[in-house]
Amino acid sequence: MNSLNHRIDEAARRHGFVLVGFSRLRELPREAFYREWLANGRAGEMDYLAREPERRFDPRRLDPRLRSVISLGYPYESPRVPDVDWRIELRGRIASYALGEDYHRYVLRKARAVAAALGEARPGSLARVYIDTGPVLEREWAREAGIGWFGKNTNILNRERGSYVFLAEIFTDLELDATAEPYGDYCGTCRRCLDLCPTQALADGYLMEPRLCISYLTIELRGPIPVELRPKLGNWIFGCDICQEVCPWNPAPNGPGNDQLAPSLPELMKLDEEGFRRRFRGSAVKRTKRRGLLRNVAVALGNSGNPEAVATLAPALESEPEPLVRAHVAWSLGRLGGVTARRALEKARIRDDDPSVRRETDDALATNFA
Ligand code: SF4
Ligand code: SF4
């Protein structure tokens, strides 16, 4: 490692990054693969992935002065889930990365501090900092920089750190030495993530179908969740950690159970706009907006199979202002069944004038109470 690389490495570690790698910008070898991926509509509603693909494939097309990329990995915890039966206690599940302050904010702050150190070392140099600008290509640059391998779960994996890291990149016009050794692939014959993904979103060949992934369905998708996928969501209401939790390269969670990972579903269902804003201020969970989160909460309540959930869902079918949420509440009441659920659905069929809610109400009655 030359002295400039060394200084950057030191600065990054001082700011808490545990993975640091360098690569020269070049055309990504898998550009054709991603072009096909986008052309097949795999980005779903993640329009930002399809926006300016040229820049993502090779940032030199945006700024020809750029020469190198510094890939950084910032660790996060995956605490233990409280040891309770979510179906009995009606608890949802939130992906570990979403705990606490939104990582976009604090990792960006830290990556900018590294970029400032680069500016001090080479005054006048260019440094563009990115975080989560495109989940796909960010991982490609991380692999190029040798900080990990592209696992079958499509995360960057590192033998010491597993995949619980946020990635960030600094593109610069400096000619940095590329990290010498490409990282090996240590998935071997393991297929745990593929076999245990509840929606079969992962396929052989290190491929993921985002439109099936619970992370996409609970966070990126703005409209209704496809009916056939709803039961597979279980109690995930923001993201999904399964393909990371089952990976043998990730550390087993330790310490006491963290209640924030498994919030009360009835409590969330009662949040109004103001309550949602207050509870998730500065958190990544804000991304779904209230209507998206409550849509997911409704589905999780339906998946609980617990008749007590009807006491939360039936009043929501009447008073919830968002049709998207009411539509999912109707589906869940149908799944749970019982006299109270049926009455609530019959009432909504007459009173609710939103066509999507009426459709879901009709379907729920026809499927479960015919
Ligand atoms: Fe499957 Fe969940 Fe991984 Fe998505 S995040 S690929 S749904 S296990
Ligand atoms: Fe690779 Fe197994 Fe981890 Fe999947 S679970 S990413 S196959 S090591």
Side-chain angles (χ1 to χ4, degrees):
M1 205 188 277
N2 74 20
S3 66
L4 181 56
N5 285 42
H6 191 69
R7 274 180 81 166
I8 298 166
D9 187 273
E10 259 183 6
R13 292 185 193 276
R14 210 169 44 243
H15 288 288
F17 290 98
V18 290
L19 303 176
V20 188
F22 305 88
S23 51
R24 287 293 178 88
L25 287 176
R26 61 186 182 108
E27 263 178 43
L28 281 172
R30 300 217 298 172
E31 179 168 336
F33 166 82
Y34 287 116
R35 283 194 184 283
E36 200 187 321
W37 191 89
L38 288 172
N40 288 340
R42 287 184 192 260
E45 289 187 4
M46 297 181 285
D47 304 339
Y48 56 90
L49 291 183
R51 228 177 284 142
E52 299 184 85
E54 306 305 326
R55 189 196 70 182
R56 291 174 195 284
F57 294 136
D58 185 345
R60 288 176 307 178
R61 292 181 191 150
L62 182 75
D63 187 338
R65 292 170 298 173
L66 297 175
R67 290 285 173 272
S68 313
V69 56
I70 305 158
S71 285
L72 303 165
Y74 194 89
Y76 67 90
E77 295 282 311
S78 177
R80 190 185 285 281
V81 184
D83 195 14
V84 294
D85 185 333
W86 76 267
R87 292 183 163 82
I88 293 173
E89 295 211 357
L90 298 177
R91 305 262 209 122
R93 196 49 221 284
I94 284 180
S96 304
Y97 79 81
L99 290 180
E101 187 192 358
D102 187 348
Y103 71 96
H104 290 94
R105 303 204 320 195
Y106 68 85
V107 179
L108 186 63
R109 260 195 321 267
K110 287 166 189 292
R112 284 195 176 133
V114 180
L118 182 72
E120 275 166 34
R122 290 287 186 280
S125 59
L126 263 182
R128 292 177 183 270
V129 181
Y130 291 96
I131 166 164
D132 211 9
T133 41
V136 180
L137 301 186
E138 173 161 73
R139 294 170 199 183
E140 287 294 321
W141 292 117
R143 174 164 71 175
E144 289 276 306
I147 65 175
W149 79 96
F150 200 94
K152 290 180 194 172
N153 62 8
T154 73
N155 285 302
I156 287 293
L157 282 158
N158 176 282
R159 278 191 298 172
E160 276 78 46
R161 292 285 169 178
S163 61
Y164 293 132
V165 286
F166 297 123
L167 297 174
E169 305 80 46
I170 303 171
F171 294 103
T172 173
D173 59 346
L174 295 169
E175 307 265 1
L176 298 171
D177 281 355
T179 308
E181 287 290 307
Y183 213 97
D185 180 328
Y186 298 92
C187 278
T189 55
C190 177
R191 307 179 37 91
R192 287 177 65 83
C193 54
L194 284 93
D195 293 342
L196 295 169
C197 168
T199 53
Q200 280 92 49
L202 297 168
D204 283 315
Y206 300 74
L207 278 175
M208 193 230 268
E209 172 50 82
R211 287 166 298 184
L212 289 178
C213 174
I214 294 172
S215 254
Y216 168 77
L217 294 168
T218 55
I219 303 172
E220 308 288 345
L221 182 72
R222 299 288 167 193
I225 297 171
V227 175
E228 66 283 6
L229 293 174
R230 292 178 197 170
K232 299 182 180 172
L233 264 55
N235 66 335
W236 290 101
I237 55 169
F238 187 91
C240 166
D241 279 339
I242 294 174
C243 57
Q244 299 201 84
E245 282 174 353
V246 301
C247 179
W249 291 102
N250 275 329
N254 54 34
N258 184 325
D259 273 332
Q260 290 177 46
L261 271 184
S264 154
L265 294 167
E267 253 178 60
L268 291 177
M269 202 67 203
K270 289 189 189 104
L271 291 177
D272 59 11
E273 285 292 349
E274 177 53 25
F276 176 82
R277 255 198 308 278
R278 255 204 318 270
R279 176 150 178 174
F280 296 109
R281 183 170 295 142
S283 150
V285 176
K286 257 190 356 219
R287 186 171 173 81
T288 58
K289 304 204 166 54
R290 173 186 176 274
R291 66 199 287 266
L293 187 72
L294 266 60
R295 169 199 64 184
N296 305 338
V297 168
V299 172
L301 283 165
N303 288 340
S304 72
N306 182 343
E308 283 178 26
V310 173
T312 298
L313 291 166
L317 189 56
E318 211 164 324
S319 61
E320 166 58 40
E322 289 284 352
L324 178 74
V325 180
R326 293 202 304 281
H328 288 73
V329 164
W331 176 83
S332 288
L333 284 168
R335 273 206 101 192
L336 292 167
V339 181
T340 314
R342 181 186 193 141
R343 281 206 195 111
L345 286 165
E346 282 170 346
K347 211 159 132 191
R349 180 158 61 175
I350 299 164
R351 291 208 187 148
D352 205 307
D353 49 18
D354 184 274
S356 67
V357 181
R358 290 177 81 120
R359 209 168 34 246
E360 291 269 5
T361 308
D362 284 344
D363 287 352
L365 284 165
T367 316
N368 304 286
F369 299 96

